[in-house]
């Protein structure tokens, strides 16, 4: 088999382990269903052990950052949805926060709560997609059907307010684009009442199931030191015992008023990462309930104002989306749009850990580890 | 002995999983038999774009070009000429390339007279891409066919049996809750 030498270069290529069998090169992707997008990983395997792993990205590159340079500030927002299409609403927030800071717009109280509730709601949806597709990768079809049944109901609630399901284009500078549906809060609470009873079922089928535990406990260990050194964020980092959550550390919108604690686990394996996401679903339910209780029912939802940003001003804002820290850096040259807009996307950074996690593991654990990192390729390649 | 306890545990846990499955089966079906059963789509849902013609047959559009300027994908093309009799403009051409449109509804938000609106007709699939390069006739037809439509300025509107355009009641509008509360406050003040 001849693999171009260029495919196998990179700092992560190790000397093949000397064993009884020859090293074999296996292409995982780019059309592998477990890569959730188009990701190619060139794996070297010696018997059952992975000896090298070189991820190749860029198949979904759509040039977001360059396109944004030629758009006005408001025109950028619909493009942000398309970065991480599983949690579209969450992608809009850091950019809006950065522009609000630069333009000096004050977000009304009610808009803050709407945004926070929507943000957390999107986290539930995103984790539902994760639990469904991850279990599908591991060979369990049932959780996928249940997760997408519930995701459908959740998307309906988002659609009733924003007009979009996955690509809503809803947040804007100084608040939200349009007022919420009259039954929005009631819909949310009704859904949560139903959903709260369903999450234990997911747990029975996933983190509590002996078959899943046999495949996940002690697999793909990510040490605290390695996670911090690689800049891992989100549930992956918290499953390694680092209590880092931007909702707590750099609170934005209504998070300062909400009462919650950062979920961490110490194990750092595939099971811990799954368990943290499960617990985060419960946490999001609780946070949305708090928002529904505290949110004012009338008042402005949008602070209208002109977005005029002086030349040379720059700002970096980040938010804790379901995959980790999504940061946006904006540099203005005084024009109508960003001179440079850079996205620090969590999936891209989390993907860098793959060679370290894969090498030395069993070949059949590769998919289990890849899925537990929860990457969305649209965001990796942008 | 060890084997027996492990087997018992495995059976119990599998039983738990099966219990979840059987409980879910009792809840009934969650799918629609599309296209025989149509899904219910909320009126604000942005599935396609349409131009609205008033009951008396005049265009709502005043050719102000606001939508063309604001479109992030730059897919709207408008040509207009000065109205020979009186003020305003005559619309010569109004094209939207629905293939490249990303249904962000920015144009709908920018329109000062709610002429371009979002509709719920999601069945745009076609064998010929050229049919999605929508011209004014196509967009007008979409507007005539739509049961209801949405624009941020006027909210949800629909055509009644006489063909007149009516605004939906507050209960069905986004933001209706805040508006109703405001009215209730005013009434309690009086
Ligand atoms: S919906 Fe968005 S992309 Fe489509 S025509 Fe309107 S502004 Fe342009
Ligand atoms: S913004 Fe409205 S009125 Fe102006 S050109 Fe577009 S559709 Fe016509």
């Amino acid at each position: 088999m001849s693999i171009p030498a260029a495919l196998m270069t990179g700092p992560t290529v190790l000397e093949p382990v000397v064993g009884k069998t020859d090293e074999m090169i296996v292409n995982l992707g780019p059309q592998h269903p477990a890569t959730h997008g188009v990701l190619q990983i060139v794996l070297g395997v010696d018997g059952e052990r992975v000896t090298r792993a070189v991820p190749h990205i860029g198949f979904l590159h759509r040039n977001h950052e360059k396109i944004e340079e030629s758009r006005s500030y408001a025109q950028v927002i619909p493009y942000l949805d398309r970065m991480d299409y599983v949690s579209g609403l969450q992608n809009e927030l850091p950019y809006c926060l950065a522009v609000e800071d630069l333009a000096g717009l004050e977000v009304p109280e009610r808009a803050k709560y709407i945004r926070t509730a929507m943000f957390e709601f999107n986290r539930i949806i995103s984790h539902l997609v994760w639990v469904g597709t991850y279990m599908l990768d591991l060979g369990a079809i049932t959780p996928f059907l249940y997760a997408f049944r519930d995701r459908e109901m959740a998307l309906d609630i988002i659609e009733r307010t924003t007009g979009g399901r996955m690509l809503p284009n809803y947040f804007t500078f100084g608040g939200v684009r349009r007022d919420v549906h009259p039954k929005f809060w009631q819909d949310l609470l009704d859904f949560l009442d139903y959903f709260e009873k369903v999450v234990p079922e997911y747990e029975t089928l996933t983190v509590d199931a002996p078959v899943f535990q046999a495949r996940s406990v002690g697999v793909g260990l990510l040490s605290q030191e390695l996670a911090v050194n690689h800049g891992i964020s989100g549930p992956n980092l918290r499953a390694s015992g680092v209590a880092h959550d931007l909702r707590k550390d750099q609170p934005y919108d209504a998070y300062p008023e909400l009462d919650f604690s950062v979920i961490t686990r110490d194990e750092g394996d595939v099971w811990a990462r799954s368990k943290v996401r499960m617990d985060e679903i419960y946490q999001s339910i609780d946070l949305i309930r708090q928002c529904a209780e505290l949110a004012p029912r009338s008042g402005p939802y949008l602070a209208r104002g002109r977005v005029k940003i002086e030349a040379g001003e720059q700002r970096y804002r980040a938010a804790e989306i379901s995959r980790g820290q999504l940061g946006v850096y904006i540099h203005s040259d005084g024009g109508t749009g960003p001179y440079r807009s850079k996205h620090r996307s969590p999936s891209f950074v989390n993907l860098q850990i793959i060679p370290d996690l894969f090498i030395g593991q069993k070949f059949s654990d590769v998919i289990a580890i890849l899925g537990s990192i929860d990457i969305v390729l649209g965001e990796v390649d942008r | 002995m060890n084997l027996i306890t492990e087997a018992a545990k495995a059976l119990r846990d599998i039983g738990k999983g099966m219990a979840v499955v059987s409980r879910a089966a009792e809840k009934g079906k969650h799918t629609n038999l599309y296209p025989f059963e149509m899904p219910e789509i909320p009126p604000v849902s942005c599935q396609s774009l349409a131009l609205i013609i008033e009951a008396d047959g005049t265009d709502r559009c005043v050719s102000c070009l606001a939508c063309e300027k604001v479109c992030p994908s730059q897919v709207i093309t408008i040509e207009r000429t000065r109205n020979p009799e009186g003020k305003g403009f005559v619309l010569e051409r109004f094209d939207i390339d629905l293939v490249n449109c990303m249904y962000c509804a920015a144009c709908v938000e920018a329109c000062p007279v709610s002429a371009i609106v979002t509709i719920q007709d999601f069945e745009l699939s076609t064998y010929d891409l050229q049919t999605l390069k929508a011209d004014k006739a196509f967009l007008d037809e979409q507007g005539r066919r739509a049961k209801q439509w949405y624009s941020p300025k006027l909210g949800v509107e629909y055509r009644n049996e006489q063909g007149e355009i009516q605004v939906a009641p507050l209960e069905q509008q986004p933001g209706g809750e805040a508006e109703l509360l405001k009215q209730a406050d005013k009434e309690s003040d009086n």
Side-chain angles (χ1 to χ4, degrees):
Chain A
M1 186 194 303
S2 71
I3 295 278
L7 275 185
M8 294 306 293
T9 53
T12 52
V13 175
L14 297 184
E15 283 302 306
V17 180
V18 181
K20 281 203 204 80
T21 51
D22 289 339
E23 194 196 32
M24 205 169 117
I25 304 295
V26 178
N27 268 303
L28 180 76
Q31 287 95 10
H32 193 283
T35 51
H36 302 294
V38 239
L39 167 70
Q40 182 187 20
I41 305 176
V42 181
L43 291 168
V45 285
D46 186 2
E48 274 291 303
R49 295 277 164 192
V50 176
T51 51
R52 9 175 160 180
V54 186
H56 294 279
I57 60 168
F59 295 97
L60 264 183
H61 183 56
R62 286 150 299 162
N63 218 345
H64 273 284
E65 289 175 7
K66 195 70 193 168
I67 289 175
E68 282 162 25
E69 286 170 20
S70 62
R71 299 291 185 265
S72 74
Y73 285 107
Q75 281 179 343
V76 167
I77 299 177
Y79 287 98
L80 300 169
D81 291 336
R82 281 141 181 94
M83 286 201 325
D84 176 356
Y85 35 77
V86 180
S87 46
L89 271 168
Q90 292 187 331
N91 281 263
E92 297 167 7
L93 192 66
Y95 177 79
C96 292
L97 289 173
V99 174
E100 275 156 14
D101 275 2
L102 287 172
L105 284 172
E106 191 68 43
V107 184
E109 191 77 348
R110 181 150 156 266
K112 280 186 182 174
Y113 281 101
I114 295 174
R115 294 211 305 202
T116 310
M118 285 277 194
F119 196 78
E120 286 302 320
F121 200 49
N122 218 282
R123 190 185 308 275
I124 292 181
I125 292 174
S126 169
H127 283 347
L128 276 177
V129 174
W130 166 80
V131 74
T133 54
Y134 181 38
M135 292 299 136
L136 200 59
D137 297 345
L138 294 183
I141 296 179
T142 321
F144 170 79
L145 299 174
Y146 295 167
F148 274 67
R149 171 196 70 195
D150 296 338
R151 173 174 179 264
E152 200 62 27
M153 299 179 199
L155 285 179
D156 281 347
I157 295 176
I158 288 200
E159 189 185 16
R160 247 168 272 161
T161 287
T162 66
R165 292 167 74 81
M166 287 169 77
L167 311 166
N169 185 22
Y170 185 55
F171 296 165
T172 185
F173 317 130
V176 292
R177 230 163 247 276
R178 49 176 90 143
D179 210 337
V180 291
H181 186 266
K183 301 215 177 62
F184 172 68
W185 295 107
Q186 197 51 47
D187 276 351
L188 271 187
L189 293 176
D190 289 348
F191 174 77
L192 294 182
D193 287 342
Y194 155 80
F195 187 59
E196 203 178 31
K197 295 198 198 77
V198 185
V199 189
E201 292 185 357
Y202 291 128
E203 285 193 308
T204 314
L205 293 174
T206 59
V207 288
D208 291 345
V211 181
F212 177 66
Q213 282 175 358
R215 287 202 70 176
S216 60
V217 173
V219 174
L221 279 175
L222 174 59
S223 71
Q224 198 163 337
E225 195 194 351
L226 197 62
V228 172
N229 286 349
H230 273 76
I232 303 291
S233 52
N236 301 324
L237 180 66
R238 295 195 280 278
S240 292
V242 186
H244 176 77
D245 190 331
L246 290 181
R247 292 177 284 175
K248 244 332 183 230
D249 301 341
Q250 299 169 14
Y252 43 92
D253 279 356
Y255 283 109
E257 277 93 82
L258 303 182
D259 173 31
F260 66 104
S261 55
V262 181
I263 294 169
T264 58
R265 289 200 83 84
D266 293 330
E267 295 95 332
D269 56 3
V270 170
W271 187 82
R273 291 198 274 279
S274 312
K275 182 73 179 158
V276 165
R277 293 209 175 86
M278 277 295 165
D279 290 345
E280 278 189 6
I281 293 184
Y282 284 113
Q283 188 185 42
S284 293
I285 293 177
D286 183 44
L287 286 174
I288 298 171
R289 286 226 172 96
Q290 291 184 31
C291 284
E293 196 176 307
L294 293 171
R297 287 299 190 270
S298 61
Y301 58 93
L302 177 61
R304 287 174 208 276
R306 241 170 76 85
V307 178
K308 178 88 186 82
I309 298 174
E310 297 296 317
E313 293 240 36
Q314 46 190 314
R315 189 86 180 137
Y316 175 84
R317 280 304 292 266
E320 186 79 24
I321 73 164
S322 38
R323 266 156 265 284
Q325 172 178 352
L326 175 69
V328 173
Y329 165 78
I330 295 175
H331 186 103
S332 163
D333 65 347
T336 53
Y339 174 71
R340 175 84 172 92
S341 147
K342 157 94 183 100
H343 301 280
R344 183 238 186 249
S345 60
S347 298
F348 176 70
V349 182
N350 292 352
L351 189 67
Q352 312 306 318
I353 201 75
I354 275 188
D356 294 80
L357 284 190
F358 278 6
I359 289 170
Q361 296 282 339
K362 288 255 176 60
F363 183 63
S364 51
D365 288 338
V366 161
I367 294 298
I369 299 170
L370 179 63
S372 75
I373 299 171
D374 190 19
I375 45 170
V376 163
L377 264 295
E379 202 189 18
V380 174
D381 296 337
R382 270 163 285 148
Chain B
M1 187 61 213
N2 203 8
L3 195 67
I4 295 170
T5 46
E6 265 187 30
K9 182 177 179 297
L11 274 181
R12 198 183 61 232
D13 287 335
I14 290 172
K16 269 191 210 158
M18 292 312 284
V20 169
V21 175
S22 60
R23 241 178 291 144
E26 281 163 21
K27 279 182 200 146
K29 73 173 182 123
H30 291 272
T31 46
N32 286 345
L33 201 64
Y34 176 81
F36 306 109
E37 287 169 33
M38 292 300 271
E40 200 180 308
I41 301 177
V44 300
S45 182
C46 173
Q47 307 290 346
S48 184
L49 301 169
L51 284 175
I52 294 301
I53 297 183
E54 294 286 7
D56 57 7
T58 53
D59 286 343
R60 264 194 190 174
C61 178
V62 293
S63 323
C64 69
L65 305 189
C67 51
E68 190 184 27
K69 268 195 213 101
V70 85
C71 175
S73 317
Q74 298 161 1
V75 295
I76 303 182
T77 317
I78 299 173
E79 276 169 22
R80 61 180 192 187
T81 46
R82 232 166 231 300
N83 191 351
E85 329 135 12
K87 54 188 173 70
F89 298 92
V90 180
L91 200 54
E92 299 284 335
R93 174 171 169 220
F94 194 114
D95 289 357
I96 303 182
D97 181 358
L98 289 178
V99 181
N100 291 326
C101 165
M102 56 178 170
Y103 303 105
C104 63
C107 48
V108 178
E109 218 157 281
C111 182
V113 292
S114 296
I116 186 165
V117 295
T118 60
I119 56 172
Q120 300 146 274
D121 183 5
F122 58 91
E123 293 170 313
L124 278 177
S125 48
T126 165
Y127 286 109
D128 182 11
L129 269 189
Q130 295 307 316
T131 57
L132 287 181
K133 303 233 187 304
D135 54 2
K136 182 154 186 308
F138 182 94
L139 293 166
D140 285 345
E141 182 54 30
Q142 296 237 69
R144 264 192 292 268
R145 271 195 314 157
K147 279 193 207 71
Q148 50 185 356
W149 57 85
Y150 176 77
S151 63
K153 299 244 162 37
L154 296 179
V156 181
E157 291 169 280
Y158 61 92
R159 261 184 239 276
N160 65 9
E161 275 117 48
Q162 286 81 44
E164 290 155 359
I165 296 174
Q166 283 190 335
V167 181
L170 265 186
E171 288 82 26
Q172 291 165 24
Q173 305 275 12
E177 186 184 27
E179 205 56 41
L180 285 173
L181 274 178
K182 230 185 270 168
Q183 289 178 2
D185 277 355
K186 253 188 219 143
E187 269 161 32
S188 62
D189 286 350
N190 292 343

